[in-house]
Amino acid sequence: MNVVIIGCGVVGAAIAYELSLVKKFQITVIDRQPPAQASTGAALGVLMGVISHKVKGRAWQRRQTSLQRYETLIPELEAVTGRQIPYNRQGILSLFESEENLAGWENLAAVRHSQGWKLELWDTAKLKNLCPQIDHAKITGAVYSPQDRQLDPTALTLALVEAAQQNGVTFKFGVNVLGMNTPNPEIDKVSKSSSVETTEGKIAADWIVVAAGLGSTPLTAQLNQKLDIRPVLGQALHIHLDKPLGNSDFQPVITGNDVHVVPLGGGDYWVGATVEFPSNGDEVRPNPELLREIWQHAIAFCPDLAPAQIIRTWSGLRPRPEGRPAPVIEQLPGFSNILLATGHYRNGVLLAPATADAIREMITSSDLS
C-alpha cells in the first residue's frame, strides 16, 4: 500500500517513522525544502503537557499520548541512528506574579494527581533555594512540572528521517508537489486520489497525508477544499553565559509570562518567543522591538542573564488555522484517502507523536486498508 506524505517538518517526519513500523506500507515523503526547515527549525521544543491547562478531551489526551511516547521514542531513535537528541528531563518551571493564580494552579495540580501526573507548587523560599537566579519582587511563587520535557526539534526530526529511511521510507527533498490527481467527484461521491504529481514525476498513492504546515492551504485549495492556515511569526535568541544560571545540576526550562529560558548546556540558552500576527494579509515581518521586549522581560525575572552574549537571533512562521482550533487532524472533506495533519500552531513538536499515532490509526482502521 502506497502512502505519500507531503511535508517533512517534525510532524511529517514523525508520521513517516511511525508508519514505517507497519510493514505493509510503501512510504514516500515529499518536501520542497530539506527536513526540519520552516516552523520546526525555528521552534524551541518546549513540551508543555502536564503544565498546560488542557485537562480533558482530545486536547489533553494528545498531550498525554505524546509525553508518554517521547519517553520511549528518544532512546529508540538514538539506539537506531546513533544520533544524540538533546532531551531535557529536568522539567518546566512556570513563574507566577499574583496570588490570584494560586487557586487555579492548586486545582490543576489536584486534577493532574488524579490523572497520575505530578505538579508541585513552590513558594518564594523554595524557589530561591532551588533556582537562585530568579529574582523579581513581583514573583510570588512557581509551579514545577517534573514530567514535562524540552528537546531539540531539528535533531529529533533528522533522527526520525534517518530511522524511517532505515525502515525503507523514500524521502524526496527539493521536490515540489504540482497537484493531486483525483477521479471526478461528480461520478464518485467520495473521490479517491490515486497519485501525486511532482516536479520529479507522478507518485502512486493509496493514501495522501498533508503535513505541510502553511503549505497545506494551497494544496487543499487545488482540490476546492481550502484549509485556511495563517502565519504567526515567532522570534527568539541564542545566548551564551560564562557559567550556567543558578544551580548547574538543576537546569529546567523556566517560563515567565510566556517567555521561555531554555537551557542547552555549557552556559548556552534559548530565549523566546514572540507571537506576531500578520497586519496586512498573510505577510508578517519580524519586529525587532518585540524581540527586545522578550529579552528585557527574561532579564527582569532572571537578572543574571544581563551580561550574556547574544550569539544569534532567528524567526519562524507558525501555522495557525483560521477560525478553528489547532491542530487539524482529519480526513479532507470529499476525499476518502486524503488526510490532514497540519496547523499545529505552537504545539507541533509537542503533538507530533500523538498526531502520528492518530494518522496511523485512521489508515489502519479504514476499509481502504
Side-chain angles (χ1 to χ4, degrees):
M1 179 170 298
N2 296 310
V3 181
V4 176
I5 300 166
I6 304 172
C8 195
V10 66
V11 172
I15 294 168
Y17 175 67
E18 292 293 352
L19 289 182
S20 77
L21 302 175
V22 182
K23 296 306 177 188
K24 65 180 177 179
F25 296 136
Q26 301 295 316
I27 303 157
T28 303
V29 182
I30 306 166
D31 201 308
R32 62 189 178 188
Q33 303 179 94
Q37 304 296 303
S39 55
T40 296
L44 299 179
V46 180
L47 310 181
M48 300 185 77
V50 179
I51 208 167
S52 79
H53 289 276
K54 307 292 186 184
V55 295
K56 60 184 180 181
R58 280 186 180 174
W60 161 244
Q61 196 55 51
R62 284 173 177 158
R63 282 167 169 77
Q64 179 170 249
T65 295
S66 281
L67 287 175
Q68 290 168 335
R69 178 58 175 136
Y70 269 128
E71 291 299 288
T72 59
L73 180 62
I74 299 299
E76 186 178 307
L77 292 173
E78 289 183 332
V80 168
T81 66
R83 291 175 175 267
Q84 184 179 6
I85 303 169
Y87 187 53
N88 188 341
R89 291 179 169 86
Q90 298 197 29
I92 297 175
L93 184 70
S94 180
L95 312 174
F96 56 82
E97 298 182 1
S98 169
E99 291 296 339
E100 294 172 8
N101 301 126
L102 190 56
W105 284 118
E106 286 174 339
N107 289 337
L108 182 62
V111 170
R112 292 294 184 243
H113 179 75
S114 72
Q115 295 170 330
W117 298 87
K118 295 177 187 173
L119 278 181
E120 301 174 11
L121 294 172
W122 292 3
D123 59 18
T124 51
K126 185 165 187 177
L127 181 59
K128 189 168 185 60
N129 181 43
L130 293 175
C131 291
Q133 68 269 39
I134 304 302
D135 185 10
H136 192 294
K138 290 186 178 179
I139 292 173
T140 58
V143 181
Y144 177 54
S145 179
Q147 293 161 300
D148 279 328
R149 302 286 184 253
Q150 184 274 334
L151 53 76
D152 184 313
T154 298
L156 168 66
T157 304
L158 295 177
L160 286 165
V161 168
E162 186 174 328
Q165 283 175 323
Q166 289 184 25
N167 290 342
V169 176
T170 299
F171 287 85
K172 293 180 177 290
F173 298 119
V175 174
N176 287 317
V177 173
L178 303 175
M180 291 172 269
N181 294 324
T182 60
N184 188 336
E186 292 180 2
I187 298 170
D188 284 334
K189 272 196 172 178
V190 179
S191 155
K192 186 174 182 193
S193 177
S194 56
S195 65
V196 176
E197 197 75 49
T198 78
T199 48
E200 278 197 358
K202 189 178 291 188
I203 302 172
D206 297 298
W207 287 93
I208 298 171
V209 181
V210 178
L214 290 165
S216 305
T217 297
L219 286 170
T220 54
Q222 292 175 2
L223 301 172
N224 298 315
Q225 288 287 348
K226 181 180 176 183
L227 175 64
D228 192 4
I229 298 181
R230 307 282 178 87
V232 179
L233 188 136
Q235 300 183 75
L237 309 100
H238 182 168
I239 63 101
H240 175 74
L241 292 161
D242 290 337
K243 62 177 183 177
L245 295 167
N247 178 358
S248 61
D249 293 328
F250 182 57
Q251 294 282 300
V253 173
I254 296 175
T255 180
N257 196 24
D258 208 25
V259 175
H260 302 305
V261 178
V262 179
L264 305 174
D268 281 25
Y269 295 83
W270 287 337
V271 179
T274 64
V275 179
E276 304 174 48
F277 292 88
S279 56
N280 182 22
D282 274 353
E283 189 173 354
V284 52
R285 298 179 184 276
N287 182 339
E289 184 56 39
L290 294 178
L291 185 60
R292 278 193 290 272
E293 287 178 12
I294 288 278
W295 179 228
Q296 291 304 316
H297 188 88
I299 291 172
F301 67 71
C302 187
D304 289 349
L305 284 170
Q309 173 193 0
I310 296 175
I311 294 174
R312 71 180 181 107
T313 64
W314 74 93
S315 67
L317 298 174
R318 313 172 181 99
R320 180 178 179 268
E322 180 69 16
R324 59 176 297 173
V328 180
I329 306 170
E330 63 189 31
Q331 184 177 308
L332 182 67
F335 297 90
S336 61
N337 66 330
I338 301 180
L339 303 178
L340 303 174
T342 189
H344 286 71
Y345 190 26
R346 302 178 73 186
N347 290 308
V349 183
L350 170 61
L351 298 179
T355 302
D357 184 68
I359 293 297
R360 185 189 62 226
E361 178 61 27
M362 291 164 75
I363 293 176
T364 55
S365 66
S366 169
D367 292 339
L368 297 175
S369 294

